[in-house]
Amino acid sequence: MFSQYTIKGKIFASSNKEALPFVPVIIKGTTIGAQTDFDGNFVIKTNKLGDSIVATYVGYKRISRPIKKGVTDQEINLPMEDAGATALDEVTVLAGDNPAHRIVRNCIKKKEVNNRNNLESFEYETYNKLQFDLNRIPKEMREKKVLKPIAFVFNNVDSVNSGEKPSLPFFIVENLSQFYYKKNPTRKKEVVIASKITGIENASVSQVLGDMYQNINVYDNNILVFNKQMPSPVSDNGLFYYKYFLEDSAFENNQYIYHIRFKPKRVQELSFTGNMWIADTTWGIKRLEMSLPKDANINFINSVNVIQEFTYSDSVWFLSKDRLVIDFAPTKKAIGFYGRKTTSYKKIILNQPKPDKFYEFGDKIVVDDSVSKRSDEFWAQNRHDSLNDREKKIFKMIDTIQSLPIYSTWVDIFYLLVAGYKKYNNFEIGPISNLVSYNKVEGVRLRFGGRTSDIFSKWYELAGYVAYGTLDEKWKYFVGFKSFLTKKPHRQLVGMNYRSDYEILGQSTNGFSQDNVLASIFRASPLTNLTRVDKTEAYYEREWFPGLITKVFMTGRQFTPLGSNTYLYEKKDGTVGQKENVVNTEARMQVRLAWKEKYVGEGFQRVYLGTTWPILQMNYSKSLQNAFKGEYDYQKLVVNVSDRIRITPILGYTDYTIEGGKIWGTVPYPLMELHGGNETYIYDYLAFNMMNYYEFASDQFVSAAIDHHFEGLFLNKIPLLRKLKWREVVTIKGVYGTVNDKNRKTLLFPGTLKALDKGPYLEASAGVENIFKIFRVDAFWRLNYQLPDAIDNFGLKFGFQLAL
C-alpha cells in the first residue's frame, strides 16, 4: 500500500512578503504539482516524493526547497526574489503573427460581453480589508528614545524575512457593504453594513474604502490610479502601448486558459507590466496580476501591484477577489509604508434590477451611525475571510499604541504640518504661517489666533484672531462662529463673522494672504496697495447631495483706502471730490456642482478628492441699497466652469477654466471684477501671474486659462534627463472685459488701475514640474499690454506641489 503525502505552503515575494498567486510549483523530477491560489497558498497530494519542490514565475528567480523524507504532512514556504536584471529576455517572432496578439485581440472584441458594467444590473456583498504598515525602519531609529515606548511592537511583529527591516502596523480597517448597480439609467448605490476602523470613527473613511471608490476595472480602456491615467492591458489600443508574449496554455475545467505576459513598449511610460490568463472561447480574463514598471514616472510610490481573480457565472466572468498593494516612500530605500487592500465579492445577483426609486438620485452611499459598533461576534460570522493570528495581533497592538502619550504627540505634529494648527485640547492655535509677517504698510505684523477643536465640540466652532502692525500701530481683528444644523441626511450649517483687517483687492482666491510669511519673503515688489475692509457676514450652507452645495450670504462691507491712496469722484459741476470710504450691503448666493465628487472629512474642514466631471460654480449678488448704509444698487453674476481633459495616457492631460461675469447697475471700482494678479515669485494657478494687483478692472468680462501637463512626454526620451523624471507643462491665460462710462466716474480709477480698452490681456508660460518631486519652475511672458521695461514682461515663478 502506498503512503499518501501532503505538502502545503505559501509562496510570497521576499521583498514585501506579499502573496504571489497563480504560481506553478512541482516536485522536482516529476509532473506532480499545483498552482498557488489567490492568497499564494498551495497544496500538493501525492504518493511519490522527490527530493525537493521547485517554483518558477515570470519576473522572479527560480527557487527550490528540500522535502523532508518520510514526513507525511509538511509545510514548505517559498520566498521568491525579484529577478531584476535576470528577467526573461524578449522573444522575437520572425514569421507570422505573434500568437499572443490573436488572443489579446479576441479578448478586446469580447470586452462588451465580459465587462460587468454592461450587464442590465448586478448586486453583491463586498468585504474590504485595508492595512497600512510603516516599513523599512532602520535599527538605529528603532533604538532611539522617541520610539522606545513602542519597542515591544518590533518584538512581536515578524519582519519580512531575516534580512529585512521590520514593519510597524499603524492602521487596519474592515468594511462590509452591499453594492447595487443598474445600467440604464446608470445608477449605483452602496449600503455600508459594518465598518471597523482602529482608533478612528469616521463615516467618510468608510465611504472612500467602499467598493465604489476603490475598484479597478481592467475592461476600461484607461485606468485611473492615484489620478494617473494608464492604459489597460486590454485597452482598444493595447497593441500600441504593450508588448505581449504567450507564456503557456493549460486545460482547466474543460477549456484552454492562455497565460499572456505583457510589458510597456516604451521606457518610463505610465503603463503596467504583468500577466493575465485568458479563457478560450469566451475570451474573458480569468486571472490578472499586474504592477507598475520600476522606471514609471510616478512619485512617492515604489510599487503598485494589482491582483484579480474572476469567476464564470451566467455567461460573464465576474470579479470574485481583488488585491491592491502599494509601497509608498520618498525614495526606494527610505522609510515609507505599505498599503494593502483585499476585497472579496459574494452573494452575486445578476440582471435583477431594483426599481429606480431604490437607487435614488446620483451615486448614493448609505452609512448608518451603527456601522462602527458591530460586535466581535458579528464580524466572526460575516467577514468573508477569518483574521489570521498576525492580523489579530495587529488589532491589539494598534489599540495599545494609540493609548500611549507618544501616539498623541505624533498625531499632533502631523496635524500641525498638514493643517497649520497646533492643538491644545479644546483650542487650536494658528495658522502658524500667519503669526509673523512683514509689509510696507504695517511693518512687522504680529498675529495671534485660532479656533476651537473637535474636542470642544463637533457641532460648532468659534474662531478669531488679533493682529498688530509695528509701523502703522493699528489693531486688526476677526471673530467668527459656525454651527451644524444637521449632518444627515443633508449637511446644513450656519455661520456669522466680523472682520476688520487689511486686504489686497485684486488678488486671486488662491493667493497667499498679505500676512503669510511666505508672501513676505517671496514678494516681488513692496506691498503698498492695501485697503482696510470692515466686513460683517452671515450665511447658511446646505449640501443637497454629494457634489451640490448652495450657500446664501448677507454681507456688509466698508472699504477704506490706506496711505496715499484716496477715493476720488467727479462731481456734477466737473470738480473732483473725495470720499472717506465705500459702504456696500448685498445678498449673495453661491452654487457649486461637482457631480460624483469624493471627499474625506465629516467636520467643518473637508478634503475634496476631485471628480471626473466638469465643476460648475455660480455666484449671484444683489446689492441692498440703503440697507445698513448700503450706497449702491446693482446685480452681479459670475459663472465658472473647470475640468480636466485626459487626452491619452501618452499625451498627458489638460486643465481648463472658463469664467464670465457681468454687473448690471452702477458700482465703484472696489466692487467691480478686479482681475487677480500676482506680485510674488510663487506660482499661483488661479492668478494672472504677470499681472500686478490693482492693474485691470471690468464690469463685464470673460476669461480662460488652459494648462497642459505633458507628464514627461519629451524629457523621458532624453537619456541624461530621463532619471530626473521631470515633466513639461505649458499654460496660456487671457481675459477680456469692459467698463461703462458711468462706472468709470463713480470713483475715478487710481493711476495703477485701468480697463481692458485695447483688447484682451494675454500671458503664456512654459515650465518644468516634478523637480526633486516637489518643485515647479515656470517662465512667463506677458504677450500684450507691455510694460515700459522689456525685462518686466518676462518673469520666473516657482511653486511647491506634492503630486504623484
Side-chain angles (χ1 to χ4, degrees), residues 7-12 20 22-36 40 42-44 46 48-58 60-68 74 76-81:
I7 303 172
K8 62 182 180 179
K10 185 168 187 174
I11 300 180
F12 55 89
L20 294 177
F22 326 133
V23 178
V25 54
I26 64 170
I27 297 175
K28 187 177 178 181
T30 74
T31 58
I32 300 168
Q35 189 178 64
T36 58
F42 68 89
V43 177
I44 300 174
T46 179
K48 181 181 178 182
L49 283 181
D51 61 357
S52 61
I53 59 171
V54 179
T56 57
Y57 195 50
V58 176
Y60 291 87
K61 295 179 181 179
R62 178 180 181 274
I63 187 173
S64 65
R65 286 290 186 269
I67 297 173
K68 298 176 183 177
Q74 53 187 296
I76 303 176
N77 296 321
L78 298 120
M80 301 192 74
E81 294 184 24

Side-chain angles (χ1 to χ4, degrees), residues 310-367:
F310 297 79
T311 302
Y312 192 69
S313 174
D314 290 344
S315 73
V316 67
W317 287 95
F318 206 90
L319 188 63
S320 58
K321 287 189 176 181
D322 185 9
R323 180 186 294 131
L324 179 65
V325 182
I326 304 170
D327 181 4
F328 300 89
T331 63
K332 292 190 180 300
K333 295 184 179 180
I335 296 174
F337 60 91
Y338 284 128
R340 298 177 175 90
K341 174 184 166 289
T342 303
T343 307
S344 57
Y345 307 84
K346 291 186 177 181
K347 302 177 183 177
I348 299 169
I349 300 175
L350 305 181
N351 298 323
Q352 297 181 27
K354 305 283 187 185
D356 287 346
K357 186 177 180 181
F358 170 82
Y359 298 95
E360 302 182 45
F361 184 67
D363 291 351
K364 183 71 173 179
I365 300 180
V366 180
V367 183

